[in-house]
Amino acid sequence: MKLVVPSLVLAILIGYLRGGRLATLADLRLRWQAAAILGLLLQVLLWPGGKWPLWYLYASFVLLIAFAIVNLRVAGVALILVGVALNFTVIVLNRGMPVSREAIEASHQADSLGELTQNGGPKHHLASSLDHLRFLGDVIAIPPMEQAISIGDIFTYGGVMVVVAAGMGRRRRAPDPGSLVTQAVGHVDR
C-alpha cells in the first residue's frame, strides 16, 4: 500500500509529460467501479482471526478480477488483470500471501518478522518450504519504501499507472481555421 501514492504521482507526471490533463481522467469510462471499490475495501478492512477473513480476501480478488475483465478495453487494465490474477493464485494456493524473510530483512522491516511468524493474518504469512509458487509471493524488496512486493504487485501498479497516464490523454489542439480553409481549397483544386 505504501506504493500507491508514489505510483499515482509518477503516473500523473507521465501523463502531463505526454501532454495530457488531469481533468481528462473524468472522461475515463470504467464499468463496475463499485466492484473495484468493494474489492479494495475488503482487503483493507480484513478482520483478524477466524476463517471468514480469508474468504473476504478471496471475495475481494474475485471482485477485482471481474472489474478488470469488464474493462479490458481500457489501456493498462490487462496489466492489472495479470497482476491481480498472479496474486490471487499464490494466495489461494497458500491460504495467504507468503512473504520471504529475505525481502522483509532487505526492505528494512525485520521488526515485523515476529508478527508475521506469530499471526500473519489472512493476507500475509512468513514464507516456508511448504508454500507453493513462492516466487510469486512478496519476495521483492524495495528498501527506500520499506516494502516487500510481488511480481503481481508490479503488474498491478504498472497497470494502474498506464490507466492514469493514458486516461489523462493528450491535449488536443483546436484545428487552425486557416489550415481547414487551405485543406478545403486544396481538395477543390484537384
Side-chain angles (χ1 to χ4, degrees), residues 10-21 164-166 168-170:
L10 182 58
I12 291 168
L13 177 64
I14 291 169
Y16 277 124
L17 290 173
R18 293 181 62 240
R21 294 288 172 250
V164 170
M168 288 175 66
R170 292 178 187 241

Short mmCIF file of all heavy atoms in Angstrom, two decimals, residues 10-21 164-166 168-170:
data_model
loop_
_atom_site.label_atom_id
_atom_site.label_comp_id
_atom_site.label_asym_id
_atom_site.label_seq_id
_atom_site.Cartn_x
_atom_site.Cartn_y
_atom_site.Cartn_z
N LEU A 10 3.81 9.45 -10.01
CA LEU A 10 4.60 9.17 -11.22
C LEU A 10 3.70 9.07 -12.45
O LEU A 10 4.03 9.60 -13.52
CB LEU A 10 5.43 7.90 -11.03
CG LEU A 10 6.35 7.51 -12.18
CD1 LEU A 10 7.34 8.62 -12.49
CD2 LEU A 10 7.08 6.22 -11.84
N ALA A 11 2.56 8.40 -12.32
CA ALA A 11 1.63 8.26 -13.45
C ALA A 11 1.12 9.62 -13.90
O ALA A 11 1.04 9.90 -15.10
CB ALA A 11 0.47 7.36 -13.06
N ILE A 12 0.79 10.48 -12.94
CA ILE A 12 0.30 11.82 -13.29
C ILE A 12 1.41 12.63 -13.96
O ILE A 12 1.16 13.32 -14.96
CB ILE A 12 -0.25 12.53 -12.03
CG1 ILE A 12 -1.54 11.83 -11.59
CG2 ILE A 12 -0.48 14.02 -12.28
CD1 ILE A 12 -2.04 12.24 -10.22
N LEU A 13 2.62 12.51 -13.46
CA LEU A 13 3.75 13.21 -14.09
C LEU A 13 3.94 12.73 -15.53
O LEU A 13 4.09 13.55 -16.45
CB LEU A 13 5.03 12.97 -13.28
CG LEU A 13 6.31 13.57 -13.84
CD1 LEU A 13 6.21 15.10 -13.86
CD2 LEU A 13 7.51 13.14 -13.03
N ILE A 14 3.87 11.43 -15.74
CA ILE A 14 3.99 10.87 -17.11
C ILE A 14 2.85 11.38 -17.97
O ILE A 14 3.06 11.76 -19.14
CB ILE A 14 4.04 9.33 -17.07
CG1 ILE A 14 5.34 8.86 -16.43
CG2 ILE A 14 3.87 8.74 -18.47
CD1 ILE A 14 5.38 7.37 -16.09
N GLY A 15 1.65 11.41 -17.41
CA GLY A 15 0.50 11.92 -18.17
C GLY A 15 0.70 13.36 -18.61
O GLY A 15 0.41 13.71 -19.75
N TYR A 16 1.21 14.18 -17.69
CA TYR A 16 1.49 15.58 -18.05
C TYR A 16 2.59 15.68 -19.10
O TYR A 16 2.50 16.48 -20.03
CB TYR A 16 1.86 16.41 -16.82
CG TYR A 16 0.68 16.91 -16.03
CD1 TYR A 16 0.56 16.63 -14.69
CD2 TYR A 16 -0.31 17.68 -16.64
CE1 TYR A 16 -0.52 17.09 -13.95
CE2 TYR A 16 -1.40 18.14 -15.92
CZ TYR A 16 -1.50 17.85 -14.58
OH TYR A 16 -2.58 18.30 -13.86
N LEU A 17 3.64 14.87 -18.96
CA LEU A 17 4.73 14.90 -19.94
C LEU A 17 4.26 14.48 -21.32
O LEU A 17 4.83 14.90 -22.33
CB LEU A 17 5.89 14.02 -19.47
CG LEU A 17 6.67 14.53 -18.26
CD1 LEU A 17 7.69 13.50 -17.78
CD2 LEU A 17 7.35 15.85 -18.59
N ARG A 18 3.22 13.66 -21.36
CA ARG A 18 2.64 13.24 -22.65
C ARG A 18 1.69 14.29 -23.22
O ARG A 18 1.11 14.08 -24.28
CB ARG A 18 1.87 11.93 -22.47
CG ARG A 18 2.73 10.75 -22.15
CD ARG A 18 1.91 9.47 -22.00
NE ARG A 18 1.23 9.14 -23.25
CZ ARG A 18 -0.09 9.03 -23.39
NH1 ARG A 18 -0.89 9.20 -22.37
NH2 ARG A 18 -0.62 8.73 -24.56
N GLY A 19 1.51 15.38 -22.48
CA GLY A 19 0.61 16.43 -22.95
C GLY A 19 -0.81 16.26 -22.45
O GLY A 19 -1.72 16.95 -22.92
N GLY A 20 -1.04 15.37 -21.53
CA GLY A 20 -2.38 15.14 -21.01
C GLY A 20 -2.76 16.11 -19.91
O GLY A 20 -1.95 16.92 -19.47
N ARG A 21 -3.99 15.98 -19.47
CA ARG A 21 -4.51 16.84 -18.41
C ARG A 21 -5.24 15.95 -17.39
O ARG A 21 -5.95 15.03 -17.75
CB ARG A 21 -5.50 17.86 -18.95
CG ARG A 21 -4.86 18.88 -19.87
CD ARG A 21 -4.00 19.84 -19.04
NE ARG A 21 -3.21 20.71 -19.88
CZ ARG A 21 -1.89 20.61 -20.00
NH1 ARG A 21 -1.22 19.70 -19.36
NH2 ARG A 21 -1.22 21.45 -20.76
N VAL A 164 -3.91 5.59 -15.57
CA VAL A 164 -3.92 7.02 -15.22
C VAL A 164 -3.24 7.85 -16.31
O VAL A 164 -3.81 8.84 -16.80
CB VAL A 164 -3.26 7.27 -13.85
CG1 VAL A 164 -3.05 8.75 -13.59
CG2 VAL A 164 -4.10 6.63 -12.74
N ALA A 165 -2.03 7.47 -16.70
CA ALA A 165 -1.28 8.25 -17.70
C ALA A 165 -2.02 8.28 -19.03
O ALA A 165 -2.14 9.35 -19.65
CB ALA A 165 0.13 7.69 -17.86
N ALA A 166 -2.51 7.14 -19.47
CA ALA A 166 -3.24 7.09 -20.74
C ALA A 166 -4.59 7.78 -20.61
O ALA A 166 -5.06 8.44 -21.54
CB ALA A 166 -3.43 5.65 -21.20
N MET A 168 -5.28 10.31 -18.90
CA MET A 168 -5.11 11.76 -18.96
C MET A 168 -5.09 12.25 -20.40
O MET A 168 -5.30 13.43 -20.66
CB MET A 168 -3.81 12.17 -18.25
CG MET A 168 -3.90 12.04 -16.74
SD MET A 168 -2.34 12.36 -15.90
CE MET A 168 -2.09 14.11 -16.25
N GLY A 169 -4.86 11.32 -21.33
CA GLY A 169 -4.90 11.65 -22.75
C GLY A 169 -3.82 12.62 -23.16
O GLY A 169 -2.91 12.92 -22.41
N ARG A 170 -3.97 13.09 -24.36
CA ARG A 170 -3.08 14.13 -24.89
C ARG A 170 -3.94 15.36 -25.14
O ARG A 170 -5.08 15.24 -25.56
CB ARG A 170 -2.45 13.69 -26.20
CG ARG A 170 -1.48 12.57 -26.03
CD ARG A 170 -0.93 12.17 -27.39
NE ARG A 170 -0.12 10.99 -27.25
CZ ARG A 170 1.15 10.93 -27.53
NH1 ARG A 170 1.77 11.97 -28.00
NH2 ARG A 170 1.82 9.83 -27.37
#
